[in-house]
Amino acid sequence: MWFCKLNGALKGASKTGTKTILARRPITSLVPGEPNEPKILTDVPGPVSKALFEKLNSINQSGSVQLFANYDKSIGNYLIDVDNNVFLDAFTQISSVPIGYNHPDLLTVFQDDHKLRALINRPATGVFPGHDWPEKLRSILLNVSPGLPQVMTMMCGSCSNENAYKALFFSYRNRQRGENVDFTELESSSCMINRPPGAPQLSLLSFHGAFHGRTMATLATTHSKPIHKLDVPSFNWPIAHFPRYKYPLEDNTRENHAEDDKCLEEVEDLIVQYGKNENPSVAGIVVEPIQSEGGDNEASPRFFQGIQQIAKRHGVGLLIDEVQTGVGATGKMWCHEHFNLESPPDIVTFSKKMLTGGFFHSLDMRPKQPYRIFNTWLGDPGKLYLLEAVLNVIKQQNLLDQVLRTGSKLKLGIATIEKEHPDLLNSTRGRGTFLAVNAADTELRDKIVAKLKLKGVIVGSCGDHSIRLRPSLTFQEHHADILLDKLQQTINEVK
Amino acid sequence: MWFCKLNGALKGASKTGTKTILARRPITSLVPGEPNEPKILTDVPGPVSKALFEKLNSINQSGSVQLFANYDKSIGNYLIDVDNNVFLDAFTQISSVPIGYNHPDLLTVFQDDHKLRALINRPATGVFPGHDWPEKLRSILLNVSPGLPQVMTMMCGSCSNENAYKALFFSYRNRQRGENVDFTELESSSCMINRPPGAPQLSLLSFHGAFHGRTMATLATTHSKPIHKLDVPSFNWPIAHFPRYKYPLEDNTRENHAEDDKCLEEVEDLIVQYGKNENPSVAGIVVEPIQSEGGDNEASPRFFQGIQQIAKRHGVGLLIDEVQTGVGATGKMWCHEHFNLESPPDIVTFSKKMLTGGFFHSLDMRPKQPYRIFNTWLGDPGKLYLLEAVLNVIKQQNLLDQVLRTGSKLKLGIATIEKEHPDLLNSTRGRGTFLAVNAADTELRDKIVAKLKLKGVIVGSCGDHSIRLRPSLTFQEHHADILLDKLQQTINEVK
């Protein structure tokens, strides 16, 4: 059969009608107590969700709500809603649940009296940190750093990027100014009224299709959907094209190679152009390893190597935003570790499955003065303790290997369905379980996602017509089987 | 004696040397287990703090750290550090600890299994909220709303303001566009590349001396210290002068009245001017009820009434930033409730002592479309449950009354010391326990703050030469006695 060529993981695969694509493994869930399968009892959203929606929507704009969940009952990879519908969750709170719901190792974290008190007595960690803060930053965060020696903690993805952007500007101005040169009086006075030279005309280069957050500076580098950006003032910052590849990659090497070159050339052109004319000079490049919200757009290691070379050549910082891609879902702790960069990027930002926001950075990106990267809390020790438990589970259970096994099966299964229905699906892609496939158009995509939900499988949408999978790291082969079965059924219904 | 004229609260005051300014009350702490007084055993920072500083500073820029605390031992109003020094804490993690350290009612919150699971299974509340989310937003947050019907939750003060700023822009453009008028195709396409009309040329008016955060848009409205702003690109947004009063207020009514008028006139002039020329039109005014970081600059109810009238007259939104001033420290839940505004402001932002960030807003400020005020988590249920416990304690123990009693004693005591040393201190001011006094200059201020710390009292600095008090709401008269004694001793030493 055609798909036997695809991948060694297919060995032992059998195909009996549309029901089972790949051989089943025995069900031994990594999170005890999981149901065996989804079970849908009502419409989705069900009547209880609908009633709660009315209540919530009277309090704020709640049009984005899909359903109300019962987090007391949800378990492992299964989200259980207020109508007792049981969903296999392959979206996991927009990719932010690392090891499933109600993991026993997380439920016990705050039985430790010290950790409970660290949670309750949330300190201003930049002024009065707790006694184990340095040790915890080192043993928990620096322990998983992608080769960068420094780390700052923040609260969420947006504020991690906002603060990292400032670090890019600081370091750029520091290089311009020269080592140990103090701020001028004019800089100090002019910045207070938002004017140059103290508030310099500088920019960050971002990419079409990018998503880095919705606060105003991160939004100026976000270019995925108009509804995020409409009516918000912005900066005149350069935007380059991110590669758009043809799939399958192995059949389109030359075109995709040329796409890389074109995009890299544009990046360099923009940096040169913004340095010359009245546009603000580029102080840094910000980029996702995979454009997630923008449609799971991947780029090659070669592209990222090129970006880094351009950044170095022009003396601008390189920030890789791993808010969505980080923490193992691609089979490596950080997605950019797939790129074989010659040195770590200058900054790597994180949040979501890290539970705490923050960023790793080089010594060059470290501000010389205190209070420049600062806020009241600068992170939250309570989140750090939860992350500690998460990272222990990832290590003990070899979840990155699990991700590769599950991802291999999932990707192959989706590719198989795509091959059978090339009019409906295309461009199966991704690494680990961080996978996506395109529907032929937006309407079909939305229909597939909605039908999957009615069959008890939650997946995400991204870009114009992509379906994204963002399961937790405890998503196993038997979960993949269920997802593939439901996808196959759905495709059979919409074809 | 002169100070008998000041206030009824002084009745029974005695003055024996410099040691006791006001009569002592029996010590019955609201938080059980508090020490009776500060106790300093080492230099501050002590040797253990110094060693930990070296460790932390090797991980990130830690120059802002004062000492390392032991949050297992800290209790009530007393912060205990890693060198076993015991401090009376009148700064409380930059004004963010509402009811003291290790309050018994907070330590038990997560013994409730449902609340623990809500903490562990942190949802994307904008997509899959938990079943009690609407009820908790209503019973916890809307229950303390300053007359506004809607509330959004966020993570911190900066992102609360960032998102509230977007709401100001949305509503302004909505009024310009007209009810139920959809975005144009040009708006949708232009916003994606950060250009008008989709990314409009609009501004927010802020005040010199203001502090609204350090992310890039909030930083564009922050004007308190150069070190916050240097090297960060900014927006050409209008900045008006905030009143600077002469103290005591009762002796300077006419001058302060004129100061209000001058500042209000400038606000209106700027709005008119920015609407006319190439500068971006003003979509909203953002203001603190008391400029805190900027030096505890107060303005009168009359000033704020004037601001609101100007905002209404020009069709721009009014945002009052209660991140630092909210939650009872001024004797009212929200400081702006002192101002007798004819209607609530359009938006009130909060964080710090609220434990969760967020903002209350009017129906006008509610976006018509979903996903415009949105992020992965949109708050954190775990913080909401802690806040619930805090608000219950505030109510059960009538802590707002306690704040007024303690504040009255504290303010009178500081005014008394000021009167004795007008060359060293001036401008005692504030409401409730949200109090400040100026030192003659920056050097003296820093000396006083440092000496107080060596005597076991932690206070904050703000502005160029102000000392700010930000005790928790459980700070009682006997704590005030200690603080006043130590301040008196300190002043005697520096005079």
Side-chain angles (χ1 to χ4, degrees):
Chain A
M1 284 178 294
W2 67 264
F3 56 83
C4 286
K5 293 177 207 157
L6 284 176
N7 192 312
L10 194 63
K11 272 187 190 162
S14 70
K15 199 185 166 207
T16 46
T18 59
K19 258 206 126 179
T20 305
I21 292 178
L22 299 169
R24 293 291 170 97
R25 286 171 154 249
I27 297 177
T28 324
S29 280
L30 286 165
V31 184
E34 277 195 336
N36 286 329
E37 55 188 3
K39 192 172 174 186
I40 300 303
L41 306 172
T42 71
D43 270 353
V44 181
V48 183
S49 268
K50 281 181 182 163
L52 285 170
F53 175 81
E54 293 306 317
K55 284 183 75 172
L56 184 58
N57 199 44
S58 74
I59 295 171
N60 57 38
Q61 165 57 264
S62 305
S64 53
V65 168
Q66 293 190 19
L67 54 80
F68 286 79
N70 185 322
Y71 292 104
D72 297 340
K73 291 184 184 171
S74 297
I75 180 77
N77 293 280
Y78 286 89
L79 182 78
I80 299 179
D81 80 0
V82 289
D83 292 283
N84 287 316
N85 296 305
V86 178
F87 300 90
L88 179 65
D89 191 356
F91 192 38
T92 59
Q93 313 296 327
I94 321 178
S95 195
S96 68
V97 178
I99 55 172
Y101 298 106
N102 282 308
H103 195 288
D105 287 14
L106 296 186
L107 284 168
T108 52
V109 165
F110 296 112
Q111 286 175 8
D112 178 312
D113 187 63
H114 165 65
K115 293 176 184 171
L116 177 66
R117 287 170 191 267
L119 172 74
I120 302 303
N121 301 300
R122 188 180 181 186
T125 65
V127 192
F128 307 100
H131 62 273
D132 62 351
W133 187 243
E135 193 269 325
K136 290 296 170 187
L137 289 185
R138 187 168 295 285
S139 66
I140 302 171
L141 291 179
L142 286 186
N143 197 35
V144 294
S145 168
L148 290 164
Q150 304 269 295
V151 67
M152 286 296 301
T153 45
M154 292 286 155
M155 287 311 303
C156 67
S158 285
C159 80
S160 301
N161 280 329
E162 284 274 345
N163 281 280
Y165 288 5
K166 286 167 55 176
L168 287 171
F169 291 122
F170 296 161
S171 64
Y172 185 82
R173 288 290 296 127
N174 196 54
R175 287 192 297 277
Q176 283 190 319
R177 203 177 266 124
E179 206 59 42
N180 299 321
V181 178
D182 209 358
F183 309 114
T184 66
E185 213 162 294
L186 181 61
E187 284 175 330
S188 290
S189 60
S190 58
C191 76
M192 292 291 272
I193 51 168
N194 301 2
R195 305 279 169 153
Q201 302 277 8
L202 291 177
S203 65
L204 299 176
L205 183 143
S206 57
F207 291 89
H208 294 287
F211 184 92
H212 299 287
R214 299 160 186 264
T215 50
M216 283 180 65
T218 63
L219 193 61
T221 57
T222 286
H223 315 281
S224 43
K225 292 191 187 109
I227 198 65
H228 304 154
K229 288 174 69 78
L230 277 157
D231 295 344
V232 185
S234 196
F235 290 108
N236 169 23
W237 288 359
I239 314 161
H241 285 85
F242 194 81
R244 293 296 174 112
Y245 291 152
K246 283 193 184 149
Y247 289 85
L249 294 178
E250 54 272 29
D251 299 341
N252 297 279
T253 316
R254 214 181 42 162
E255 292 92 325
N256 294 338
H257 208 282
E259 175 74 359
D260 281 348
D261 289 342
K262 201 177 70 177
C263 292
L264 288 170
E265 199 177 323
E266 187 187 12
V267 168
E268 188 145 30
D269 283 353
L270 280 168
I271 292 176
V272 171
Q273 176 195 325
Y274 268 68
K276 272 184 187 161
N277 56 22
E278 284 191 3
N279 292 320
S281 293
V282 175
I285 300 173
V286 300
V287 65
E288 296 153 280
I290 299 172
Q291 287 191 335
S292 308
E293 180 69 21
D296 269 34
N297 309 314
E298 301 180 299
S300 66
R302 187 172 164 273
F303 173 76
F304 284 98
Q305 291 160 12
I307 289 285
Q308 186 174 47
Q309 284 154 14
I310 293 171
K312 287 185 179 180
R313 197 148 61 229
H314 293 275
V316 310
L318 174 59
L319 180 157
I320 296 194
D321 175 346
E322 293 258 20
V323 168
Q324 183 152 168
T325 49
V327 196
T330 66
K332 290 189 186 280
M333 182 67 191
W334 304 104
C335 180
H336 77 269
E337 293 174 323
H338 289 280
F339 302 156
N340 298 314
L341 299 179
E342 63 176 24
S343 59
D346 301 289
I347 297 182
V348 174
T349 57
F350 56 80
S351 186
K352 291 199 184 252
K353 281 198 278 290
M354 285 288 276
L355 307 182
T356 174
F359 58 99
F360 299 109
H361 63 90
S362 67
L363 285 168
D364 275 350
M365 293 290 145
R366 177 184 164 117
K368 308 293 170 200
Q369 303 84 359
Y371 290 109
R372 302 188 79 185
I373 302 289
F374 188 84
N375 58 48
T376 300
W377 288 311
L378 282 178
D380 185 344
K383 301 299 180 200
L384 207 58
Y385 290 118
L386 287 171
L387 174 63
E388 183 177 41
V390 165
L391 295 175
N392 284 340
V393 169
I394 291 175
K395 195 171 171 188
Q396 284 158 12
Q397 301 197 321
N398 293 314
L399 290 186
L400 268 53
D401 290 344
Q402 179 63 55
V403 161
L404 289 175
R405 285 194 303 273
T406 307
S408 176
K409 184 169 203 181
L410 255 181
K411 189 176 184 182
L412 183 60
I414 297 167
T416 304
I417 300 173
E418 176 195 330
K419 279 270 177 184
E420 288 168 0
H421 304 281
D423 51 327
L424 302 178
L425 297 179
N426 66 76
S427 308
T428 300
R429 61 198 181 277
R431 296 179 178 93
T433 55
F434 199 99
L435 299 172
V437 62
N438 290 355
D441 58 44
T442 307
E443 195 188 343
L444 179 64
R445 188 269 311 272
D446 292 348
K447 203 167 168 183
I448 293 170
V449 170
K451 274 188 175 280
L452 273 171
K453 207 198 285 176
L454 289 171
K455 294 182 193 304
V457 175
I458 297 175
V459 299
S461 303
C462 60
D464 289 334
H465 48 262
S466 302
I467 296 163
R468 59 175 153 171
L469 304 187
R470 296 292 180 272
S472 94
L473 308 180
T474 59
F475 203 83
Q476 293 167 267
E477 290 93 324
H478 63 275
H479 301 116
D481 285 329
I482 295 169
L483 189 150
L484 291 169
D485 271 0
K486 301 290 183 185
L487 179 61
Q488 181 77 70
Q489 288 169 27
T490 299
I491 295 299
N492 287 344
E493 286 172 21
V494 299
K495 74 182 175 190
Chain B
M1 283 177 294
W2 66 264
F3 56 84
C4 287
K5 294 176 208 157
L6 284 176
N7 191 312
L10 194 64
K11 272 187 187 162
S14 71
K15 198 182 164 210
T16 46
T18 58
K19 258 207 128 178
T20 304
I21 291 178
L22 299 168
R24 294 290 169 98
R25 287 171 153 246
I27 296 176
T28 324
S29 280
L30 287 165
V31 184
E34 277 194 336
N36 286 329
E37 55 187 3
K39 191 172 175 187
I40 301 301
L41 307 172
T42 70
D43 269 354
V44 182
V48 182
S49 267
K50 280 181 183 163
L52 286 171
F53 175 81
E54 292 306 317
K55 283 183 76 172
L56 185 59
N57 199 45
S58 74
I59 296 172
N60 58 38
Q61 166 55 264
S62 306
S64 52
V65 168
Q66 292 190 19
L67 54 80
F68 287 78
N70 185 322
Y71 293 104
D72 297 339
K73 290 185 185 171
S74 297
I75 180 78
N77 293 281
Y78 285 88
L79 182 78
I80 299 179
D81 79 0
V82 290
D83 292 283
N84 288 315
N85 296 305
V86 178
F87 299 91
L88 179 65
D89 190 356
F91 192 37
T92 59
Q93 312 295 327
I94 320 178
S95 196
S96 69
V97 179
I99 54 173
Y101 299 106
N102 283 308
H103 196 286
D105 287 12
L106 296 185
L107 284 169
T108 52
V109 166
F110 296 111
Q111 285 175 9
D112 178 311
D113 188 62
H114 165 65
K115 293 175 184 171
L116 177 65
R117 287 170 191 265
L119 172 75
I120 301 304
N121 301 299
R122 187 180 183 188
T125 66
V127 192
F128 307 100
H131 62 273
D132 62 350
W133 187 243
E135 192 270 325
K136 290 297 171 188
L137 289 186
R138 187 168 296 283
S139 66
I140 302 171
L141 291 180
L142 286 185
N143 197 36
V144 294
S145 168
L148 290 164
Q150 304 269 295
V151 68
M152 286 297 302
T153 45
M154 293 286 154
M155 286 314 302
C156 68
S158 285
C159 80
S160 301
N161 281 329
E162 284 274 345
N163 280 280
Y165 289 5
K166 285 167 55 175
L168 288 171
F169 290 122
F170 296 161
S171 64
Y172 185 83
R173 287 291 296 128
N174 196 55
R175 287 193 296 278
Q176 284 190 318
R177 204 176 266 124
E179 205 60 42
N180 299 320
V181 177
D182 208 359
F183 308 115
T184 66
E185 212 161 293
L186 181 62
E187 284 176 330
S188 290
S189 60
S190 59
C191 78
M192 292 292 272
I193 51 169
N194 300 4
R195 304 281 169 151
Q201 302 277 8
L202 291 177
S203 66
L204 298 176
L205 183 143
S206 57
F207 292 88
H208 293 288
F211 184 91
H212 299 286
R214 299 160 187 263
T215 51
M216 283 180 66
T218 63
L219 193 62
T221 57
T222 286
H223 316 280
S224 42
K225 292 192 187 107
I227 197 65
H228 304 154
K229 289 174 70 78
L230 276 156
D231 294 344
V232 185
S234 195
F235 290 109
N236 168 23
W237 288 359
I239 314 160
H241 285 86
F242 194 81
R244 293 296 176 110
Y245 292 151
K246 284 193 182 147
Y247 290 84
L249 293 178
E250 56 272 27
D251 300 342
N252 297 279
T253 316
R254 213 181 42 160
E255 292 91 327
N256 293 338
H257 208 284
E259 176 74 0
D260 282 347
D261 289 341
K262 201 178 69 178
C263 293
L264 288 170
E265 198 177 326
E266 187 187 14
V267 168
E268 189 146 29
D269 283 352
L270 281 167
I271 293 176
V272 170
Q273 176 196 323
Y274 268 67
K276 271 185 189 161
N277 55 21
E278 284 189 4
N279 291 321
S281 293
V282 176
I285 300 172
V286 299
V287 65
E288 295 154 280
I290 299 171
Q291 287 191 335
S292 308
E293 180 69 21
D296 269 33
N297 309 314
E298 298 180 300
S300 67
R302 187 173 163 273
F303 173 76
F304 284 98
Q305 292 158 13
I307 289 286
Q308 186 174 48
Q309 284 154 14
I310 292 170
K312 288 184 179 182
R313 195 149 61 230
H314 293 276
V316 310
L318 173 60
L319 180 157
I320 296 193
D321 176 346
E322 292 258 20
V323 168
Q324 183 151 168
T325 49
V327 196
T330 66
K332 292 189 186 280
M333 182 67 192
W334 305 104
C335 181
H336 78 269
E337 293 174 323
H338 288 281
F339 301 156
N340 299 314
L341 299 180
E342 61 178 24
S343 59
D346 300 289
I347 297 181
V348 174
T349 57
F350 55 80
S351 187
K352 289 198 186 254
K353 281 200 278 290
M354 285 288 275
L355 307 184
T356 174
F359 58 99
F360 299 109
H361 63 89
S362 67
L363 286 168
D364 275 351
M365 293 290 145
R366 177 185 164 117
K368 308 294 170 198
Q369 302 85 357
Y371 290 110
R372 302 189 79 186
I373 303 290
F374 188 85
N375 58 47
T376 300
W377 288 310
L378 282 178
D380 186 343
K383 301 298 180 200
L384 207 58
Y385 290 118
L386 287 171
L387 174 62
E388 183 178 39
V390 165
L391 294 175
N392 283 339
V393 169
I394 291 175
K395 196 172 170 187
Q396 283 157 13
Q397 300 197 321
N398 293 314
L399 290 186
L400 268 52
D401 291 345
Q402 179 63 54
V403 162
L404 289 175
R405 286 195 301 275
T406 307
S408 176
K409 183 170 203 180
L410 256 182
K411 188 175 184 181
L412 184 60
I414 297 167
T416 304
I417 299 172
E418 175 193 333
K419 280 269 178 185
E420 288 168 359
H421 304 282
D423 51 327
L424 302 178
L425 297 179
N426 66 76
S427 308
T428 300
R429 61 198 180 278
R431 296 178 177 93
T433 55
F434 199 100
L435 300 172
V437 62
N438 291 353
D441 57 44
T442 307
E443 194 188 344
L444 178 63
R445 188 269 312 272
D446 294 347
K447 202 167 170 184
I448 293 171
V449 170
K451 275 188 175 278
L452 273 171
K453 205 198 288 178
L454 289 171
K455 293 183 193 304
V457 176
I458 297 175
V459 299
S461 303
C462 59
D464 290 335
H465 48 261
S466 301
I467 296 163
R468 58 175 155 172
L469 303 187
R470 297 291 180 274
S472 95
L473 307 180
T474 59
F475 203 82
Q476 293 167 267
E477 290 94 324
H478 64 274
H479 301 116
D481 285 330
I482 294 169
L483 190 151
L484 291 169
D485 270 0
K486 302 288 183 185
L487 179 62
Q488 181 76 70
Q489 288 170 26
T490 299
I491 295 298
N492 287 344
E493 287 173 21
V494 299
K495 75 182 175 188

